[in-house]
Structure formats: structure tokens, C-alpha cells
């Protein structure tokens, strides 16, 4: 969850570190800090944001050719300066460490190192890494060897970067279970949690693999893998040219990244569907060269995901069962990995993740494989991610970088991908006629335009937000495939405005939630003009009869009219099976504008971070 950036350069690394942290702040922002080697090891830490850290560094006029920096999402220890990274160890020769992840055996290491005479000054699990490296330096007398030895003793997920005062010419980095990449530049070499942090200096990237330890100098590097037997063998990792543009991680003319990403959805979905928008048929090869053979032999789907991606999976279940005729189970990854599910042969396991580094989803995927899951598919936004590398098949959503913590374009592109998957299975199962296939491709071709029209509801949604922002609770209702969209709308409102919101299948109102209805509990309903509309209207009447105030997102042909206590915003059109994708837009806009009214930090909501790489 935290963000790491480091580098060894020919001139001054400080601007690169600070700009890199600014771009990584979506990963955590409880505290930040950096350490520089310039004759001696200096450190600056703050519980403030990166802007405050930048001011402190500027005031103290720090410079250096080698440094590591960190922005934190707190796991062990409260957000405080003493718990902020980097952490130091040693007296005569200081070692500095930054760390992303969780060390599961840190208590045992703490006790062991305490017995060896080490003093601990923080509440973090990271400090044991710094002391362990210092302890092993006494055996190895070389930082690279000491780090290799130390990571072999760590249990859990981590990415680390280490510098040592007596050797001010290199950085040692390592990863296992948490992402870390190298950047190779003309002015030096770098490491970071995410490519976005390094686009300012290079687009040449190396994605480290599990157990890799790398040594970076300003004009060279080497990588070994410490998972195998010793002596450690040097390994070659492919150099990738990142296709991301520097401008993609800038907010541009928008006020927030979330606003930018909401309005990028028509183009993001168009990019995701690019390979089929001009086609006359759907090919299984969209998901991999071996996809057709795998898809023809499956008799069920298991979707594993968390948060917003889980909601995408729930929508897909409706599509897969009604269109493709395939049984589909959708599981919260963090729950699935710790229960004893019954595994069925010939089930395709699908992991959905924006980053492809979601720890619970990756662990659940591996667990499903261990139970006999023969084949797997990743739906992901990052080509080089762990999730993609661990699955047989993949589909890339092509949403581009998503910086706002509350997911928007990642969600709608996941849904677009899942509809392609549904159509592919339906075709292979003989459930999709050639005529219907062409109709559905035409509907997908129109989807980016329909999304552009959906964005036009921002004006009336903004007016609704003025009534919403002083409320403390809200209820979201939907039926059928729009129930997960109601869940996503409630999640968005919770995430960025801190208004408590719950979602229910509208038919469940009378089974308990109706007791909550009063004039202070706004009820948001998704009311597309589908076969469940009349049923939904009955549910809405139950709310009105009890004095509740309704806010309804309806379709153009809907006969629901504004009245006292009943407010209606009409979408431009009804999109049939694709309707959930369109109805996600106004719910995102509602959450965004309520958050603006309340003055919360839209892109960096409290207690949250973007890429959940810890359990």
C-alpha cells in the first residue's frame, strides 16, 4: 500500500524523490519521509503530506546523489513521525530502510534482535528489517550480501529499498509479494513501487520478480534471486518500454484526479473495446491464444475480487448466467482464502483487480489453484502485474493510470471486459446467434457515446449534492443486475464523503431496512426501464408511504415523474444489458459532488489507499 521511490544519480536526486512521492501518494499518505546520502546519512520525516515534506527539505536545503523516500499507509503503529519511514539502524555505520508490505514474523525477529542489544524506536514491523540488515552486516561486511541473507529470514509480503552510510554509491532493493520496479535512465538508475513515479526520468523499466534482490549504481545494476539455493545466481530480467505518458499521471485541467477519471471513462472504455469495435465477430483470442480450448471445457466460473472489482464480478454473474448459460460464483477474495470451499473440476477462476497487486485477490487465486482450479483468467489494468503473470489467460482493461483512490474508470472498463467475456462464452456455448452477436457488438460500439451522454447529468446531480451533504446516512436501492451498481454507489459515497451508506436489493426493504426510513434518510434508487421496473416502483412506494425522500436515476422512457419528496434524473437512453455501466456514472458524480460540498480530500480519503498490497 505504501509508496517507495529511490535513485542513484549523477547530480541531485531530491527533485526526483519528491516528485515520485507526489505521484505515489495515492498508495498512502499517513506520513512521508526521505533519507539522503551526502557524506553522511540525513533524514527528514513528517506526518504531513508530501507537500509538507517538500517544504521541510527545501528549508533545510538538502541535496544528495543517492536517496530513498517513502509515503506511508499505516499498518503497524499509528501515523506519527516516529513511525514514518525511512527507519535507521546502527551507530558507526548507519543503515536506512523503506518498506512496503507486512512482515508476518516481525514479533519473533523483534525479540531476537532485542536480545542482541538492538533498541527499537518505533511501533512498526519495518524497523526489524533495518536492525536485521545491520546485524547481518557484521557477518557479511557487504550490504548486498547482508540484504540477501536478511530477506531469506523475512516472512510475509515486502518491497524494500536500503542504503548504507559507508557505501554512498548504491541502493539495494528487494521484493517478495509487493510490487517494485527498476527504472534505467540517462542520469542514473531508480527504483519505485509504480512506473508512474519514474516516468519523469525514464520509460525503461524492469519488473522485479518474487525473491529478486537488485543492486543499483548510477551507471549499472545487477539482479540476483534469493529464493533458490546459494550461491545466489545473477538473473536477467527483461527491460520494458513503458507506454504510459507523463501527462497521464497529471491532473491537467481538472480539479481532482477522480473528476478527471470520471470524465475519461468514454475514452477508457473505447480503448478497452478497441479490438472489437470494428469487428464483425468476437474471438476467444482476445483472452489469450489458448482461450478457446480452455473456454470450451469449463462448466463453471469462480470470480475472486475485492471492493469495487467485487461489484463488477457481481454484475458479471447476471450476464454470465442469463446470456452464456454458465454457473457463476462470486467471492470476496479475503473471505474465500480462509474458508474450505468445495472445488469443482473444470471451473475457470477469474481474478479481477485494477492494479493486479491486490494481496487478497492474488492469495485467493493461488488458493483456488491449490484446490484444483485448473485454469485462470486475470482481468486487470496493469500488463506486468503479479496477477497477470500468475494466470493462464488475461484481458487488459486499458483504462490508463487511475490515481484517485475511489475507483471509477477501472470499474466501468472491468464491466466492459466482462461483457466481452460473457459474449465469448455465449458464442462458444451456442447461446449467441450470429444476428444477436452483431447487435451486441453494435451496442458495445455505441457504449462510449452513451457514456458521454451519461456525463451530462452532472448539473442536476450537483444540485442533488447540495441537499445530500448534510445528511449522515443514505440508502441505495437496485434490482437485478443493478443491485451491485447500488452497492458500488454506496461504496463511493462512503469512501470520499464519509456519509454512511448502505445498499439493498430493493425487494429486501420490507424485510428490515424499511425501519430506517424517515425524512433524514435519503434513498437513492436505480430505475432502468427493464422487466423489474414495476416491481421496483412498488418498493419505492413503500418508501414514500413512510415519509422517505427518494432520489431516482431513471431511463428516458421511464414514466416515473417528479413530485413532492420524489426527485428524478433521467438518463439519455436505456442501454439494455449494458445499463449497469451507464448507471455507474451518475452515482460516481453524486459521491464526488457530495464530497466537494463537505470539503473532504476527494483523491485521498482518510484511512484508505489505492493499491491494497497488504492483508
Amino acid at each position: 500500500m505504501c509508496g517507495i521511490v529511490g535513485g542513484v544519480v549523477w547530480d541531485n536526486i531530491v527533485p526526483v524523490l519528491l516528485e515520485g512521492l507526489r505521484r505515489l501518494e495515492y498508495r498512502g499518505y499517513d506520513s512521508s519521509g526521505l533519507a539522503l546520502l551526502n557524506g553522511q546519512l540525513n533524514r527528514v520525516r513528517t506526518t504531513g503530506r508530501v507537500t509538507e515534506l517538500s517544504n521541510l527539505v527545501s528549508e533545510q536545503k538538502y541535496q544528495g546523489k543517492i536517496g530513498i523516500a517513502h509515503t506511508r499507509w499505516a499498518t503497524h503503529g499509528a501515523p506519527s513521525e516516529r513511525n514514518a519511514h525511512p527507519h535507521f539502524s546502527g551507530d558507526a555505520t548507519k543503515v536506512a530502510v523503506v518498506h512496503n508490505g507486512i512482515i508476518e514474523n516481525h514479533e519473533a525477529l523483534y525479540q531476537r534482535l532485542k536480545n542482541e542489544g538492538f533498541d527499537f524506536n518505533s511501533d512498526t514491523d519495518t524497523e526489524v528489517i533495518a536492525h536485521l540488515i545491520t546485524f547481518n552486516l557484521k557477518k557479511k561486511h557487504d550490504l548486498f550480501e547482508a540484504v540477501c541473507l536478511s530477506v531469506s529470514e523475512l516472512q510475509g509480503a515486502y518491497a524494500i529499498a536500503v542504503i548504507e552510510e559507508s557505501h554512498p554509491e548504491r541502493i539495494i532493493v528487494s521484493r517478495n509479494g509487493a510490487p517494485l520496479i527498476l527504472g534505467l535512465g540517462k542520469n542514473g538508475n531508480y527504483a519505485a513501487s509504480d512506473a508512474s513515479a519514474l516516468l519523469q526520468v525514464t520509460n525503461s523499466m524492469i519488473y522485479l520478480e518474487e525473491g529478486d534482490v537488485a543492486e543499483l549504481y548510477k551507471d549499472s545494476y545487477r539482479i540476483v534471486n534469493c529464493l533458490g539455493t546459494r550461491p545466489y545466481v545473477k538473473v536477467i530480467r527483461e527491460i520494458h518500454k513503458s507506454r504510459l505518458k507523463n501527462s497521464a499521471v497529471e491532473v491537467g485541467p481538472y480539479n481532482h484526479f477522480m473528476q478527471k477519471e470520471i470524465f475519461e471513462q468514454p475514452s477508457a472504455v473505447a480503448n478497452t473495446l478497441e479490438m472489437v469495435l470494428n469487428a464483425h465477430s468476437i474471438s476467444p483470442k482476445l483472452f489469450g491464444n489458448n482461450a478457446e480450448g480452455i473456454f470450451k471445457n469449463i462448466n463453471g466460473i469462480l470470480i475472486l475480487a475485492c471492493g469495487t472489482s467485487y461489484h463488477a464480478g457481481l454484475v458479471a454473474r447476471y450476464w454470465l448466467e442469463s446470456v452464456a448459460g454458465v454457473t457463476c460464483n462470486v467471492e470476496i477474495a479475503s473471505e474465500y482464502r480462509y474458508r474450505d470451499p468445495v472445488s469443482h473440476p473444470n471451473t475457470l477462476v477469474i481474478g479481477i483487480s485494477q492494479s493486479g497487486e491486490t494481496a487478497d485477490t492474488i492469495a485467493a487465486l493461488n488458493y483456488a489453484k491449490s484446490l484444483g482450479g485448473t485454469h485462470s483468467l486475470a482481468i486487470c489494468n496493469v500488463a506486468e502485474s503479479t496477477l497477470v503473470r500468475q494466470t493462464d489467460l488475461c484481458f487488459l482493461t486499458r483504462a490508463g493510470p487511475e490515481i484517485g483512490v475511489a475507483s471509477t474508470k477501472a470499474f466501468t472498463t472491468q464491466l466492459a471486459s466482462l461483457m466481452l467475456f460473457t459474449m465469448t462464452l455465449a458464442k462458444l456455448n451456442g447461446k449467441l446467434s450470429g444476428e444477436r452477436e452483431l447487435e451486441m457488438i453494435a451496442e458495445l460500439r455505441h457504449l462510449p457515446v452513451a457514456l458521454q451522454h451519461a456525463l451530462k447529468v452532472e448539473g442536476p446531480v450537483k444540485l442533488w449534492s447540495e441537499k445530500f451533504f448534510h445528511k449522515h446516512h443514505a440508502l441505495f436501492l437496485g434490482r437485478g443486475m443493478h443491485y451491485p451498481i447500488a452497492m458500488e454507489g454506496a461504496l463511493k459515497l462512503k469512501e470520499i464523503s464519509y456519509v454512511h451508506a448502505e445498499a439493498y436489493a430493493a425487494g429486501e426493504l420490507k424485510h428490515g431496512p424499511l425501519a430506517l426510513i424517515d425524512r433524514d434518510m435519503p434513498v437513492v434508487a436505480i430505475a432502468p426501464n427493464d422487466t423489474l421496473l414495476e416491481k421496483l416502483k412498488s418498493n419505492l412506494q413503500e418508501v414514500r408511504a413512510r415519509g422517505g425522500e427518494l432520489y431516482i436515476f431513471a431511463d428516458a422512457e421511464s414514466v416515473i415523474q417528479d413530485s413532492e419528496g420524489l426527485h428524478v434524473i433521467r438518463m439519455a437512453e436505456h442501454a439494455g444489458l449494458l445499463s449497469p455501466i451507464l448507471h455507474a456514472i451518475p452515482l460516481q458524480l453524486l459521491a464526488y459532488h457530495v464530497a466537494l460540498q463537505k470539503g473532504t480530500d476527494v483523491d485521498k480519503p482518510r484511512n484508505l489507499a489505492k493499491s491494497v498490497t497488504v492483508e
Side-chain angles (χ1 to χ4, degrees):
M1 301 268 275
C2 309
I4 291 171
V5 61
V8 189
V9 298
W10 292 91
D11 43 39
N12 183 21
I13 190 62
V14 171
V16 176
L17 296 181
L18 292 173
E19 176 61 16
L21 285 187
R22 187 181 69 79
R23 296 182 180 194
L24 291 176
E25 232 179 346
Y26 72 90
R27 298 179 66 89
Y29 33 85
D30 292 330
S31 60
S32 58
L34 60 78
L36 297 170
L37 265 173
N38 192 3
Q40 62 181 11
L41 198 54
N42 294 302
R43 176 176 61 180
V44 184
R45 300 184 295 177
T46 177
T47 52
R49 299 286 174 84
V50 172
T51 299
E52 185 174 328
L53 178 68
S54 182
N55 292 336
L56 289 172
V57 171
S58 180
E59 288 171 9
Q60 298 177 42
K61 296 182 172 59
Y62 277 129
Q63 290 191 7
K65 296 180 180 180
I66 176 171
I68 54 177
H70 188 268
T71 181
R72 182 175 185 246
W73 185 78
T75 53
H76 294 73
S80 64
E81 186 173 331
R82 69 191 293 267
N83 289 329
H85 301 212
H87 288 283
F88 280 4
S89 179
D91 297 319
T93 299
K94 284 192 176 70
V95 167
V97 174
V98 291
H99 164 228
N100 177 18
I102 291 178
I103 305 304
E104 294 176 356
N105 61 333
H106 80 279
E107 291 182 356
L109 289 172
Y110 170 87
Q111 195 56 57
R112 176 180 142 202
L113 292 163
K114 191 83 172 172
N115 294 339
E116 292 289 344
F118 285 92
D119 293 324
F120 285 80
N121 299 304
S122 76
D123 306 311
T124 70
D125 56 340
T126 303
E127 196 175 2
V128 302
I129 304 174
H131 291 325
L132 183 61
I133 292 170
T134 299
F135 176 73
N136 285 327
L137 262 174
K138 297 174 183 177
K139 301 177 183 178
K140 294 296 181 181
H141 305 293
D142 176 78
L143 184 63
F144 187 80
E145 291 290 329
V147 170
C148 286
L149 180 58
S150 297
V151 298
S152 69
E153 300 181 64
L154 300 178
Q155 297 173 15
Y158 59 81
I160 62 172
V162 189
I163 55 178
E164 178 199 3
E165 194 170 60
S166 62
H167 290 88
E169 73 285 348
R170 61 179 176 172
I171 292 176
I172 313 298
V173 300
S174 182
R175 68 148 295 192
N176 190 51
L180 197 68
I181 65 173
L182 306 184
L184 310 180
K186 294 180 180 179
N187 190 44
N189 291 320
Y190 312 87
S193 300
D194 189 312
S196 63
L198 301 182
L199 289 175
Q200 55 176 314
V201 287
T202 184
N203 67 347
S204 296
M205 313 285 184
I206 293 176
Y207 294 84
L208 295 180
E209 298 187 9
E210 301 295 294
D212 280 356
V213 178
E215 182 177 45
L216 296 179
Y217 293 87
K218 57 191 173 186
D219 54 1
S220 65
Y221 67 93
R222 66 165 167 151
I223 305 170
V224 305
N225 191 276
C226 292
L227 291 183
T229 58
R230 299 175 193 172
Y232 306 122
V233 178
K234 183 178 179 181
V235 293
I236 305 297
R237 302 297 183 211
E238 184 179 353
I239 298 174
H240 299 264
K241 292 292 183 181
S242 176
R243 296 180 181 179
L244 291 179
K245 295 181 179 179
N246 207 22
S247 59
V249 291
E250 297 291 345
V251 74
Y254 297 93
N255 294 318
H256 300 90
F257 278 107
M258 183 177 180
Q259 183 188 32
K260 176 189 178 188
E261 288 153 11
I262 289 173
F263 279 84
E264 284 177 339
Q265 286 176 107
S267 61
V269 168
N271 290 339
T272 298
L273 298 174
E274 181 181 13
M275 289 178 286
V276 297
L277 292 185
N278 296 315
H280 298 291
S281 64
I282 298 293
S283 169
K285 288 188 176 181
L286 290 169
F287 300 88
N289 290 332
N290 301 323
E292 183 170 358
I294 292 173
F295 290 170
K296 283 182 175 179
N297 291 307
I298 62 171
N299 55 21
I301 305 289
L302 169 63
I303 295 177
L304 302 169
C306 303
T308 288
S309 297
Y310 170 69
H311 297 156
L314 290 175
V315 174
R317 179 171 62 188
Y318 286 93
W319 291 340
L320 287 162
E321 294 189 342
S322 65
V323 178
V326 179
T327 300
C328 179
N329 291 318
V330 186
E331 298 269 5
I332 297 172
S334 59
E335 287 295 306
Y336 178 84
R337 63 185 289 196
Y338 290 117
R339 67 183 186 84
D340 299 315
V342 176
S343 178
H344 296 284
N346 301 320
T347 294
L348 178 68
V349 183
I350 301 178
I352 308 176
S353 168
Q354 185 279 139
S355 67
E357 303 294 347
T358 309
D360 284 320
T361 303
I362 293 168
L365 175 77
N366 290 330
Y367 182 44
K369 286 181 180 180
S370 73
L371 295 176
T374 310
H375 299 294
S376 55
L377 165 68
I379 292 180
C380 182
N381 194 40
V382 182
E384 301 85 2
S385 64
T386 302
L387 184 68
V388 169
R389 294 200 305 269
Q390 292 186 358
T391 52
D392 305 313
L393 307 171
C394 80
F395 188 96
L396 296 176
T397 54
R398 305 184 193 282
E402 190 180 64
I403 307 300
V405 165
S407 182
T408 52
K409 63 178 180 174
F411 179 62
T412 48
T413 53
Q414 285 170 354
L415 289 174
S417 305
L418 288 162
M419 176 50 78
L420 284 179
F421 175 66
T422 300
M423 293 169 63
T424 302
L425 283 192
K427 183 177 179 179
L428 292 174
N429 291 344
K431 303 281 186 179
L432 189 67
S433 68
E435 182 181 359
R436 180 58 181 144
E437 181 181 9
L438 288 173
E439 289 175 357
M440 294 184 76
I441 290 174
E443 290 166 3
L444 288 174
R445 189 177 294 124
H446 178 66
L447 183 57
V449 176
L451 287 167
Q452 199 70 54
H453 291 158
L455 288 166
K456 294 179 180 178
V457 304
E458 184 179 29
V461 167
K462 188 175 180 180
L463 292 176
W464 280 12
S465 72
E466 295 171 4
K467 300 178 181 180
F468 250 83
F469 83 95
H470 62 279
K471 302 292 186 182
H472 299 290
H473 309 276
L475 204 59
F476 285 69
L477 303 178
R479 295 207 70 149
M481 62 185 177
H482 292 87
Y483 168 42
I485 301 302
M487 296 170 71
E488 177 64 11
L491 176 62
K492 286 290 155 285
L493 193 67
K494 282 183 277 198
E495 281 181 308
I496 63 170
S497 75
Y498 317 143
V499 172
H500 172 246
E502 296 295 337
Y504 280 91
E508 284 294 290
L509 263 181
K510 55 187 173 290
H511 297 291
L514 207 56
L516 297 171
I517 299 300
D518 61 22
R519 60 186 300 172
D520 294 320
M521 173 74 83
V523 178
V524 180
I526 304 165
N529 192 18
D530 59 14
T531 56
L532 289 173
L533 180 60
E534 293 305 316
K535 297 289 185 183
L536 178 64
K537 285 181 181 178
S538 298
N539 304 138
L540 301 184
Q541 287 301 323
E542 295 167 359
V543 174
R544 287 298 301 124
R546 286 148 180 88
E549 192 151 6
L550 281 162
Y551 295 82
I552 301 174
F553 291 108
D555 284 340
E557 299 103 22
S558 168
V559 295
I560 300 174
Q561 300 295 328
D562 278 293
S563 62
E564 181 70 25
L566 193 155
H567 315 281
V568 181
I569 290 177
R570 298 189 190 284
M571 307 291 285
E573 56 191 288
H574 176 54
L577 285 171
L578 300 177
S579 176
I581 303 177
L582 294 191
H583 277 276
I585 302 293
L587 297 178
Q588 294 168 355
L589 288 168
L590 179 63
Y592 175 72
H593 283 288
V594 171
L596 288 187
Q597 292 286 339
K598 291 176 71 69
T600 63
D601 193 335
V602 172
D603 288 334
K604 303 179 183 70
R606 68 189 182 198
N607 304 332
L608 300 178
K610 181 73 176 175
S611 183
V612 187
T613 58
V614 297
E615 189 175 345

